[in-house]
Structure formats: C-alpha cells, structure tokens
Amino acid sequence: MYKRQFVQNYLKDFDALLTTKTYGEAFAPSNIALVKYWGKRDTDLNLPVTNSLSLSLGNLGAQTKVCYTDQNHDTIIVNGIEADTHSKFSHRLTEFLDAFRPNPQTFYHVETNTNIPIGAGLASSAAGFAALTLALDDFYNWRLPTELLSIFARLGSGSACRSIYTGFVEWQAGTAKDGHDSYAVPITVTWPELCMAVLVVNDQEKYLSSRKAMQQTVSSSILYQSWPQQVEHDLHLMKMAIDQKDFELLGKTAEQNALAMQATMLASWPPILYNQPESLAIIQAIWQMRANDTPVYFTQDAGPNIKLLFLENDMEYIKACFPNAIMVRPFADIP
Ligand code: PMV
C-alpha cells in the first residue's frame, strides 16, 4: 500500500488519472550498468545502497501500450503471448499497476514487445517497467518531470529508473526514507564510437532472481562490506573515463566492477554463481584478445551472459570472433 500512497500523493498535482486517450504508448531502452547497483537499503521501494552508472542500449528495449480493460483483472501480453495471471511475472506487474489505479476495480491491458531475450540478465525488466511508466504518462497525459518518471519506474524494478534515458545515466541513491531523492539523471556526453555486444550464453529465466540474489549477498557475504567503497572508487574513475573519452579506463573500470560484484555473490551463503562454462570461456577469450592488443572488455550482470565493450574500429574483428553476438551501438542506434 505504501507504493500506492507515494504515487497518488504525487499525482494529486497533475490532474491525475483523467484520460481522454484510448491508449498510451512508449518505448524505453534496456540499460547495462557499467558500475553496478547491487544491494538495497529498502526492498519495497527498491532504494539502493549506492549510486550506479549505466549505458542504455540504443534501440534494444521494450515498446509498451497500455489502456483500460473490461476484464476483472489486468491482462498482460508479452511478445504476442498472454501472461498467466497466476505467474510471478503477472503478480509483479499487477502489484506495480496497483499504485496507478484510479480505483481498485479498474484494470489495465498491457501489451509489450521486446527485441531482447527476457529474463536473461539483459535488463528486459528495466526496459519493461520504464516503458510501462512512460506509457502510463502518455495514457493519462501527465507529462511528469523525468525525475518523477524515473522514481515511478524504480518502484517496478530498481534499474528501470535508468531506462528512462538514453546514453550514459547515473542513478543517485538518495538518502530520504520515502525515496523522493532516489532517481536517475542523464550524463550529457555522447560517444558514438562506443559499442557493446551481447553474448547470450543462456536465454532462459535465471535460476535466482536479482532481487533474491541481492538480499542473499547483503545478508551473508562478508565481502559486501567493501562494496560501497568499491562503487565510490569505480564511479570516480568511470566519470573521468566518460569525460575524457578514455576507452581503456572505461573498459577496465567496468570489468573490475562486474568482477567485484560477482565476487561478493560468490562469498555469499548459499553461494551464488551465475557463470556457466561458456561464460568463463568467453571471459578467457577476451583476456587473450587483450593480450594480443585488441582493446575489448566485458561486463556481466545477474546471469551467465557476457556483454562486450569495444570501439567501432574493432567491430568487424569482434563479429568474426563472436559470430552470434548481438551488436549494439548505444549512441548511433537511438530511435
Ligand atoms: O533492477 P533489478 O532488480 O533487475 O537489478 C539489477 C541488478 C544488476 O543488473 C545486476 C545491476 C544493475 O545495476 O543493473
């Protein structure tokens, strides 16, 4: 109920929940953190322990439509398939939509199309909740300030607050109990030569959700005590790398941060290990490429998939080494 009170309190000032439109629609990109969000100070409101910094994935993301339905429950269609109303996924969305209902008897029809594999550590939920927030803003014609859209998206999934923007984005953790100062802001630097490639090792739902993995890490990993320091150090270097367009510093900082996050998980009990043999083979191939003077680095989230960071000059070589890679030009492919 707290989420709903929070949202409704803000919407009072925006002629909220009066719509003349038949539906609202929006696109939001996925985002990949270069300095990760790992650990919450409030699990209901998705308030993080530290800041984080991400890169949005250009035209890879979610396109979402929202309107009312006559049914007595929300209907959710993902990539043409109706989600089971009893599934965990539907519950999560319905719980998010509860905060935005004009009254408890009003239900929504949500249709989302993604061009990324769902649940595979490729931030599909971030894109999904951000697109749904933007679609609600369109449906009700609120035209909310982006900080507030970012706060609302965060209530669905923490990292969704960064998917409100394109390019580099920093999520400011904030300190307020209700999270009114915990939102993302864009970093206005464009870097058209910067590329990412997604290597999908496994596109199935991960064995442990990031929500549970975070809780398990925070409550049981002794290495988590040093995580806020690691983030502070890495954020400083990452911002310097972005400012000076120093690719090697960006790549090295992102890779170290991702490995440090994996290390905190490995030191949890029960231990959390998302890597599969293929993930490790890719990591070793990347290190070998660097030993041979190709500047390529990686990052990894709560899953076995690996995301490469490199510059456009090396695109053809990377394609030859990883023929199945999904190539992303975060700045060139902005829709
Ligand atoms: O927003 P969530 O609950 O899906 O958590 C995302 C966590 C990571 O992807 C591992 C890191 C991040 O900052 O996106």
Side-chain angles (χ1 to χ4, degrees):
M1 202 55 192
Y2 189 56
K3 272 185 197 172
R4 179 171 167 83
Q5 274 161 6
F6 180 85
V7 169
Q8 296 298 321
N9 206 18
Y10 271 94
L11 291 180
K12 273 199 302 229
D13 304 334
F14 285 89
D15 268 346
L17 306 172
L18 296 170
T19 183
T20 49
K21 286 194 158 188
T22 44
Y23 66 87
E25 183 166 17
F27 170 83
S30 264
N31 76 77
I32 297 299
L34 301 178
V35 178
K36 309 291 181 190
Y37 145 56
W38 197 247
K40 304 181 197 210
R41 64 186 160 86
D42 184 310
T43 49
D44 288 331
L45 297 173
N46 294 330
L47 296 176
V49 172
T50 69
N51 287 21
S52 56
L53 192 153
S54 61
L55 182 55
S56 288
L57 295 190
N59 59 5
L60 282 187
Q63 179 82 27
T64 298
K65 271 188 183 181
V66 67
C67 59
Y68 291 135
T69 172
D70 295 339
Q71 308 263 346
N72 60 358
H73 57 87
D74 298 320
T75 50
I76 299 157
I77 316 277
V78 181
N79 295 332
I81 298 168
E82 181 156 2
D84 176 356
T85 43
H86 301 296
S87 65
K88 257 198 292 180
F89 173 78
S90 291
H91 281 165
R92 222 175 133 193
L93 249 126
T94 295
E95 202 230 329
F96 177 75
L97 289 169
D98 283 346
F100 298 93
R101 291 184 214 288
N103 61 64
Q105 283 76 45
T106 304
F107 295 99
Y108 291 105
H109 175 75
V110 178
E111 252 181 81
T112 293
N113 284 300
T114 64
N115 52 4
I116 37 171
I118 291 190
L122 299 181
S124 55
S125 68
F129 280 112
L132 180 53
T133 305
L134 294 170
L136 284 165
D137 187 58
D138 182 42
F139 184 46
Y140 289 116
N141 207 15
W142 292 323
R143 300 168 199 227
L144 297 177
T146 45
E147 289 84 2
L148 195 49
L149 292 168
S150 176
I151 288 175
F152 285 176
R154 188 198 77 225
L155 300 175
S157 150
S159 54
C161 76
R162 299 184 309 232
S163 275
I164 295 292
Y165 307 96
T166 55
F168 293 111
V169 180
E170 182 173 10
W171 175 7
Q172 299 174 344
T175 52
K177 218 171 155 7
D178 71 353
H180 72 262
D181 56 355
S182 183
Y183 51 80
V185 289
I187 297 174
T188 50
V189 169
T190 49
W191 193 340
E193 304 79 32
L194 185 62
C195 297
M196 281 186 100
V198 181
L199 300 179
V200 179
V201 169
N202 186 336
D203 70 358
Q204 297 305 300
E205 200 73 38
K206 51 195 162 214
Y207 83 98
L208 186 67
S209 68
S210 43
R211 179 173 291 246
K212 284 194 183 139
M214 270 185 213
Q215 277 170 9
Q216 206 162 298
T217 310
V218 173
S219 64
S220 71
S221 172
I222 213 158
L223 294 189
Y224 192 75
Q225 288 170 15
S226 61
W227 176 249
Q229 255 170 287
Q230 174 85 44
V231 170
E232 200 183 325
H233 173 259
D234 292 344
L235 272 175
H236 172 71
L237 294 181
M238 187 58 73
K239 286 184 195 167
M240 202 153 83
I242 292 171
D243 198 45
Q244 298 170 2
K245 300 226 174 127
D246 180 341
F247 175 69
E248 297 204 356
L249 183 60
L250 177 138
K252 175 176 177 253
T253 308
E255 188 170 310
Q256 271 199 325
N257 184 268
L259 287 167
M261 183 185 93
Q262 302 294 326
T264 64
M265 289 192 232
L266 206 49
S268 308
W269 197 263
I272 302 164
L273 178 61
Y274 286 109
N275 275 321
Q276 290 179 6
E278 215 181 326
S279 322
L280 295 177
I282 294 169
I283 290 173
Q284 278 169 338
I286 293 164
W287 289 340
Q288 190 55 51
M289 287 163 87
R290 279 217 299 276
N292 296 335
D293 289 332
T294 303
V296 53
Y297 297 84
F298 74 90
T299 184
Q300 185 183 4
D301 292 282
N305 303 319
I306 306 291
K307 294 114 196 181
L308 308 184
L309 290 159
F310 57 95
L311 292 174
E312 187 140 33
N313 286 346
D314 293 309
M315 170 85 84
E316 290 312 312
Y317 181 62
I318 302 285
K319 267 189 198 161
C321 296
F322 302 104
N324 297 327
I326 304 166
M327 295 293 168
V328 189
R329 294 158 77 233
F331 292 96
D333 294 334
I334 289 177

